[in-house]
């Protein structure tokens, strides 16, 4: 049995998973602190991502700054297009996400993809009210609000910068150096786990929509003409797909198919995206996402980013709502081309031919003695534009004069002064702008999904029990050591076991407070997969009781074998595989 958002948030706060930041000062919406349990779970989740998407795939990781200069976001398009729809209540002044108001009050699921004017019309049509004060929002303007946090780099305002809204740009901007580390060979992948910032209009649902969050992003650079994904590795992986076609159909729904079938039928347009959908599906199951509450949803044309030819979201069902936890996009050459146009560096990779080839190549050799006096400070830009024009449109040089545009102003140059010529050249290769495949994981949302999908209720010995069925690999603490009594040397022996387990690299908690049954329940609720009980028999034969959280089964294990057994369980061995004697449960009424 699972429970809702309120239960997850309450347990998270009480057991140290996460809580609102700056509560002593009234709290700040959209900012959260990961407590002792949450920080450990998040770290384990990130390590699991590194293992699957970097180490096993042969990719590398970097760590880029969280603040970048304004020019980066001019090139990437974030300054002009990174907006959400905002509507401000005319009575109380509270700002709201206009598209969210429409989605909450109607059957429309993708209001974000609609124009602002249409969203304003829907607000008026349904007479939507301010959630804060109840005043009508009909007729109120819906406008665009840029989500980036602005700052200044250094004193004064001469060097504006922004907190990054995604980690991806830190990888794209450094591509000219990163390609050197890859020896100029495609394909290669670069990942990053780090903090991103978005000044959300109305943060809500705890970790689901926040202003500071963690992303785990992979940018996989490929040669679009030569590189193909190893689809055979995931061809038979079954995935639940909610395609764009199904979303448009009246009776459309989720279809479970294999990655191979989806690519062959064209449901997934990009084989590279399909590959990562297959890889990620098994990873989600590994970290505890309930596959009965999971789907891949294809972006509709109106919501797909302008740079993406194919885009799918991994979505998890949380309290009756489908929430995006990861985006998978084929970004093409958009990012590197944009930075290549704006930055003073080379964002291409040299592709060597098998054998040199001879081709005709248009060139220009502008006569600067003519351009300089005529165009002054613009002469160098005019010459550069002539070179670009020669490479793209030879016919422009057929007349007596050629016209180029620089910063919106037209310049006419005598063709003779342009020095245009077509020459035969021998080339060893060509410069290629790589395409980018991007799986972008919202770590906080995956974290919340794992908690929500792990939360269980059952009965043990006639009493209600709440527990987190977290995978042992992710659990903040792997094992809790519990002395049956805090006397007669049981506590001393228990502490020795704690030291031995920690020395072996195992996360351990020591708990001697309350009845053994209460301590079991406490560890179950925090998600500790195994408990070790030290009893009087332990002092006689050097064995302990090892208890499984999910089944409450128990076995007797030699103390000297405990570190090895616990490590095997954390690595994926089943509790049933332990061949030691089954143990009787300690009397849960026993007091310390």
């Amino acid at each position: 049995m699972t429970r809702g958002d309120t239960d997850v948030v309450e347990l998270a706060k009480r057991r140290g998973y996460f809580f609102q930041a700056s509560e002593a000062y009234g709290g700040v919406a959209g900012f959260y602190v990961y407590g002792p349990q949450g920080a450990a779970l998040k770290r384990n989740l990130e390590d699991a991502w590194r293992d699957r998407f970097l180490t096993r795939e042969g990719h590398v990781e970097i760590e880029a700054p969280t603040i970048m200069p304004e020019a980066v976001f001019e090139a990437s398009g974030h300054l002009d297009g990174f907006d959400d729809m905002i509507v401000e209540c005319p009575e109380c002044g509270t700002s709201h996400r206009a598209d969210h108001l429409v989605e909450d009050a109607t059957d429309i699921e993708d209001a974000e993809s609609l124009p602002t004017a249409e969203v304003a019309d829907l607000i008026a049509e349904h007479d939507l009210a301010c959630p804060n004060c109840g005043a009508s929002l009909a007729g109120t303007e819906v406008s665009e609000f840029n989500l980036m946090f602005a700052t200044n780099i250094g004193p004064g305002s001469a060097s504006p910068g922004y907190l990054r809204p995604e980690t991806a740009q830190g990888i794209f901007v450094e591509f000219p150096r990163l390609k050197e580390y890859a020896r100029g060979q495609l394909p290669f992948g670069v990942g990053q786990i780090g903090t991103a910032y978005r000044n959300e209009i109305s943060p809500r649902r705890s970790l689901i929509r926040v202003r500071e969050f963690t992303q785990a992003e992979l940018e996989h650079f490929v040669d679009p003409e030569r590189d193909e994904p190893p689809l055979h590795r995931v061809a038979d992986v079954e995935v639940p797909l909610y395609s764009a076609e199904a979303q448009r159909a009246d009776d459309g729904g989720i279809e479970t198919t294999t990655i191979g079938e989806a690519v062959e039928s064209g449901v997934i347009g990009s084989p590279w995206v399909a590959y990562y959908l297959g890889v990620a599906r098994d990873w989600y199951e590994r970290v505890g996402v309930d596959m009965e509450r999971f789907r891949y949803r294809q972006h509709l044309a109106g919501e797909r980013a302008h740079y993406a030819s194919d885009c799918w979201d991994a979505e998890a069902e949380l309290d009756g709502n489908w929430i995006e936890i990861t985006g998978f996009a084929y970004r093409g050459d958009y990012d590197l081309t944009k930075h290549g146009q704006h930055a003073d560096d080379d964002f291409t990779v040299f592709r060597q031919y098998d054998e040199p080839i001879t081709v005709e190549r248009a060139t220009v050799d502008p006569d600067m003695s003519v351009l300089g006096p005529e165009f002054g400070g613009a002469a160098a830009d005019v010459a550069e534009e002539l070179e670009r024009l020669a490479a793209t449109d030879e016919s422009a040089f057929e007349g007596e004069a050629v016209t180029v545009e620089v910063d919106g102003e037209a310049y006419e140059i005598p063709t003779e002064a342009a020095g245009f010529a077509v020459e035969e050249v021998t080339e060893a290769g060509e410069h290629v702008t790589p395409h980018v495949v991007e799986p972008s994981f919202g770590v906080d949302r995956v974290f919340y999904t794992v908690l929500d999908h792990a939360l269980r209720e059952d009965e043990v010995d006639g009493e209600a029990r709440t527990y987190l069925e977290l995978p042992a690999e992710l659990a903040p603490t792997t094992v809790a050591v519990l002395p049956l009594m805090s006397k007669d040397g049981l506590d001393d022996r228990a502490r020795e076991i704690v030291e031995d387990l920690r020395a072996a690299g195992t996360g351990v908690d020591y708990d001697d407070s309350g009845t053994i049954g209460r301590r079991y329940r406490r560890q179950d609720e925090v998600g500790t997969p195994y408990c070790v009980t030290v009893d009087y028999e332990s002092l006689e034969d050097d064995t302990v009781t090892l208890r499984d959280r999910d089944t409450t089964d128990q076995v007797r294990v030699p103390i000297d074998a405990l570190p090895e057994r616990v490590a095997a369980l954390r690595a994926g061995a089943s509790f049933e595989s332990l061949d030691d004697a089954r143990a009787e449960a300690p009397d849960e009424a026993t007091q310390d």
Side-chain angles (χ1 to χ4, degrees), residues 196-431:
Y197 306 85
R198 297 180 186 178
N199 196 12
E200 292 286 348
I201 296 167
S202 51
R204 58 181 185 173
R205 295 194 65 184
S206 65
L207 298 182
I208 301 303
R209 189 166 294 280
V210 291
R211 290 176 168 137
E212 177 181 305
F213 54 96
T214 301
Q215 287 183 308
E217 293 193 296
L218 170 65
E219 310 305 328
H220 194 167
F221 301 101
V222 302
D223 186 325
E225 296 180 4
R226 295 186 176 183
D227 295 331
E228 296 182 355
L231 275 177
H232 64 277
R233 298 180 188 171
V234 297
D236 295 330
V237 174
E238 290 191 342
V239 286
L241 302 181
Y242 190 29
S243 67
E245 181 180 355
Q247 294 171 63
R248 290 190 293 264
D250 293 336
D251 57 349
I254 298 172
E255 178 185 358
T256 298
T257 185
T258 67
I259 289 293
E261 292 167 346
V263 172
E264 185 176 352
S265 65
V267 173
I268 303 177
S270 165
W272 276 107
V273 169
Y275 173 72
Y276 279 110
L277 294 182
V279 170
R281 186 268 175 219
D282 288 346
W283 182 81
Y284 290 123
E285 187 171 32
R286 165 182 165 181
V287 299
V289 175
D290 184 352
M291 289 295 106
E292 296 298 318
R293 302 165 64 190
F294 174 85
R295 71 184 185 188
Y296 285 125
R297 186 184 70 84
Q298 188 175 29
H299 279 206
L300 299 171
E303 63 178 318
R304 189 168 60 232
H306 57 278
Y307 54 72
S309 60
D310 194 18
C311 190
W312 291 74
D313 285 343
E315 296 185 332
E317 184 275 315
L318 300 173
D319 198 26
N321 300 300
W322 287 99
I323 303 298
E324 174 195 353
I325 58 177
T326 306
F328 299 81
Y330 190 87
R331 299 178 70 119
D333 63 0
Y334 173 82
D335 302 282
L336 297 185
T337 297
K338 281 291 187 181
H339 287 297
Q341 292 169 351
H342 286 76
D344 186 22
D345 214 328
D346 182 12
F347 288 78
T348 66
V349 169
F350 185 74
R351 177 205 288 164
Q352 190 157 352
Y353 298 140
D354 294 334
E355 295 181 1
I357 61 173
T358 300
V359 298
E360 289 187 343
R361 186 75 66 204
T363 64
V364 293
D365 184 15
D367 187 346
M368 299 307 291
S369 68
V370 175
L371 270 59
E374 181 69 22
F375 304 124
D381 291 334
V382 169
E384 185 177 330
E385 189 61 22
L386 284 171
E387 292 179 8
R388 189 201 64 79
L389 189 60
T392 57
D393 185 10
E394 296 180 19
S395 64
F397 295 84
E398 293 177 352
E400 293 183 0
V402 58
T403 301
V404 298
E405 186 175 299
V406 175
D407 294 333
E409 184 174 350
Y411 295 85
E412 187 174 270
I413 305 97
T415 303
E416 185 177 353
F420 176 80
V422 176
E423 304 173 349
E424 280 194 351
V425 295
T426 300
E427 296 182 343
E430 63 181 319
H431 287 273

